[in-house]
Amino acid sequence: MTRIDRRSFLATSAAGALAAATPALAQAGGEDARLRAQLDRMFETLVDDSPEFATQLGLDKGARAHLKSKLDDDSLAAKARRLERSRKWLAELKAIDRAKLSAGSKVDLDVVTYQQERAVAAGERWKFGNVGGNFQPYVISQRGGAYANVPDFMDSQHKVETAADAEAWLSRLSQFAKALDVDLERQRIDVAQGVVPPDFVCDLAIGQMKALRDQPAARTIMVTSLAKKAQAAKLSGDWAGRAEKIVAAEVFPALDRQMAGMQAVRARAKPDTGVWALPDGDAYYADCVKASTTTNYTPEEVHQMGRQQVAEISARLDGILKSQGLTQGSISQRLVALNNDPKQVYPATDEGRARMLADLNKDVADLYALLPRAFATLPKSKVEVRRVPVFIQDGAANGYYQSASLDGSRPAAFYINLKETSDWPRYNLKTLAVHETVPGHHLQIALAQESTRIPILRRTGFGFSAFSEGWALYSEQLADEMGAYEGDPLGQAGYLQSLLFRAARLVTDTGIHAKRWTRAQATQYMVDTIGNTPSRAQREVERYFSSPGQANSYKVGHTVWARLREEAKAKLGRRFDLKAYHDHVLLSGAMPLTVLERHVSEWVAQQA
């Protein structure tokens, strides 16, 4: 799973970064220059409109220093303004003469036009939740909402090096209370329309709010993080004391209001309601699938794809497990036995968790050594493995990648959820490292964001889950082909279990939202199919209820990535160059799968 943003140029303004990063195109003429100017203006507007985006990029300085004191405006009025802006941008993009563009600029136009068309269509049709990229039907859930996002954002991304930075922190902390109330009001309006999350989503969200609320203000992450950063920067002043007063006087009362609001929603909630229960829910889920996969697959087609791939991957796993003496029981039962092998389990202690992080970071180093076998261009930046913050681990994903800041001051990281060490047996850790770091998310995102050809808007502003998650799964396949599991059959079993897990997701997500599976039914299917612990399987399933469609992006994306490479190899034969192919698809940046198919087809035609 990914979060975006990154890289390697110091700039006090986005305009300065643009000029430094694109010297050749800055001098270009004609329709290419017209398009680039339009995309650059869009980027500037997005940064100015999103203080949190500016901080993520390291652009909250110089002329934009005032943004460091603000949080994003997620009110309904702001949503309406952004929809109108997308309409305007789409009209401007359609005025570009595509026939006069260079090949690279055609990709840029196709990608950004696709994104704006989807933003307008979804924004006009669906007035509840959030529909940017992957759909999120509930403003507040265990997976999202200011109550979880803002403290994590401030702790991980708001730098404190000067007194002004610390003052900006306090300003944002005060605005946090307002953001909580904005979410609460939006939720009230959505619930009145019949947009009610299932009861356990309410329970999980309330539990996480209570974890933040039920402690002295001085011990909250909003205070302790500022104190730690101010101390490291050797700043004088009672920063912790001032933050504590804001938390006690403003944030805690807002949290109390939000918990009371969630309790009221909980009274109306029912168990096991997928998005089929929402207004026009079947059509909503069909749009969720299209948005997450960037294809035109229907929910039923995705469900059947999952069923077929589960059977195929299970057969491959069967052979490996038998070769290792695991012959009794179903695939799932044998994987459970392997998961419970004391040699595979890290102790659920601080020392055990530290050992796991160290092992993962070693796997990353080993994988870097293999990259020249399949890649001509490697990222300059490195990546490290960290633990998901404890205060959000109950509702957080099992893992996610976060790219570095644009100014290079914050490194890239893969965050792993270590609430239950039993969720992470040793034999599948290398595959996890492959997926989240190299040649998976980190390599793909870093190469695009270090590029001087791709417009900065595409390097930082747009991500397509099916592209990035599909690439990460394709990378697992590639790692196997490069010899990452040579002499390690259990490691290869971990790789196949990863593919099986993502294929099962296709069945489960569509099962919940198109076939009305219950949480227990979906959890049992995951346990029976892939051998995960019940707790991990249930946490996954709960994620699918509040993030419909997103889980489909992984295996649908991998299916398209694998098919496109094999088609290119079949057409080019001995002329197929794997390193050149990877350069072509990665250095062009993330894109919808429909655009990727055309992009690869054109490259094959050029090589023929």
Side-chain angles (χ1 to χ4, degrees), residues 274-552:
V275 295
W276 53 263
L278 303 182
D280 206 6
D282 290 338
Y284 178 82
Y285 183 60
D287 279 358
C288 288
V289 172
K290 290 180 180 179
S292 65
T293 66
T294 60
T295 69
N296 291 313
Y297 287 125
T298 66
E300 182 60 28
E301 287 171 332
V302 171
H303 190 81
Q304 294 307 322
M305 179 189 299
R307 292 282 189 187
Q308 179 182 347
Q309 294 190 11
V310 163
E312 293 171 350
I313 298 165
S314 295
R316 294 176 63 190
L317 257 173
D318 183 49
I320 291 178
L321 294 175
K322 284 179 177 176
S323 73
Q324 298 304 299
L326 294 166
T327 61
Q328 301 300 312
S330 66
I331 296 293
S332 171
Q333 290 168 335
R334 282 177 276 168
L335 288 172
V336 168
L338 185 58
N339 293 345
N340 293 333
D341 184 337
K343 296 178 182 178
Q344 298 293 335
V345 180
Y346 287 85
T349 63
D350 289 343
E351 293 77 11
R353 292 179 172 92
R355 180 71 261 166
M356 186 188 300
L357 291 175
D359 288 348
L360 275 165
N361 279 301
K362 181 182 182 302
D363 282 337
V364 173
D366 292 343
L367 289 165
Y368 264 99
L370 294 177
L371 294 181
R373 299 184 184 183
F375 298 92
T377 305
L378 303 179
K380 299 179 181 66
S381 61
K382 301 299 182 183
V383 62
E384 57 192 55
V385 184
R386 301 175 182 169
R387 182 179 182 180
V388 167
V390 174
F391 73 94
I392 63 168
Q393 68 183 9
D394 286 354
N398 285 320
Y400 54 85
Y401 168 84
Q402 184 181 78
S403 55
S405 61
L406 274 173
D407 62 5
S409 61
R410 174 176 46 76
F414 162 51
Y415 287 87
I416 180 172
N417 193 327
L418 297 184
K419 179 181 180 181
E420 303 283 352
T421 58
S422 58
D423 287 344
W424 305 109
R426 294 175 187 269
Y427 73 95
N428 60 27
L429 282 188
K430 181 171 286 188
T431 294
L432 181 68
V434 168
H435 184 102
E436 299 288 350
T437 63
V438 293
H441 286 321
H442 178 63
L443 183 140
Q444 176 251 311
I445 294 172
L447 283 180
Q449 294 183 332
E450 289 172 3
S451 167
T452 59
R453 195 214 67 78
I454 305 171
I456 192 171
L457 176 69
R458 289 190 54 220
R459 280 184 277 146
T460 60
F462 295 162
F464 297 95
S465 183
F467 183 98
S468 58
E469 299 298 353
W471 170 264
L473 279 186
Y474 166 77
S475 294
E476 296 178 20
Q477 173 184 330
L478 190 65
D480 186 37
E481 296 166 350
M482 289 192 299
Y485 306 110
E486 189 173 333
D488 181 16
L490 287 182
Q492 191 176 49
Y495 149 61
L496 290 175
Q497 186 190 31
S498 173
L499 291 187
L500 181 62
F501 171 38
R502 273 44 178 252
R505 277 177 161 178
L506 301 181
V507 180
T508 307
D509 195 271
T510 53
I512 291 167
H513 299 294
K515 297 182 180 297
R516 305 192 179 193
W517 286 11
T518 65
R519 177 175 56 160
Q521 183 180 359
T523 298
Q524 194 61 50
Y525 174 80
M526 295 289 277
V527 170
D528 291 344
T529 303
I530 59 179
N532 275 354
T533 61
S535 62
R536 180 178 179 183
Q538 180 169 299
R539 190 159 64 246
E540 279 289 326
V541 165
E542 289 166 347
R543 165 185 168 184
Y544 309 156
F545 273 90
S546 56
S547 300
Q550 193 272 340
N552 298 324

Side-chain angles (χ1 to χ4, degrees), residues 115-128:
Q115 195 277 339
Q116 293 303 308
E117 286 177 338
R118 290 300 177 95
V120 170
E124 289 178 343
R125 182 168 190 183
W126 307 111
K127 299 302 183 182
F128 55 84

Side-chain angles (χ1 to χ4, degrees), residues 57 116 172 200 266 289:
L57 298 174
Q116 293 303 308
R172 276 180 161 164
F200 60 83
R266 174 65 172 78
V289 172

Side-chain angles (χ1 to χ4, degrees), residues 107-118:
V107 173
D108 295 335
L109 178 63
D110 291 348
V111 170
V112 180
T113 298
Y114 177 98
Q115 195 277 339
Q116 293 303 308
E117 286 177 338
R118 290 300 177 95

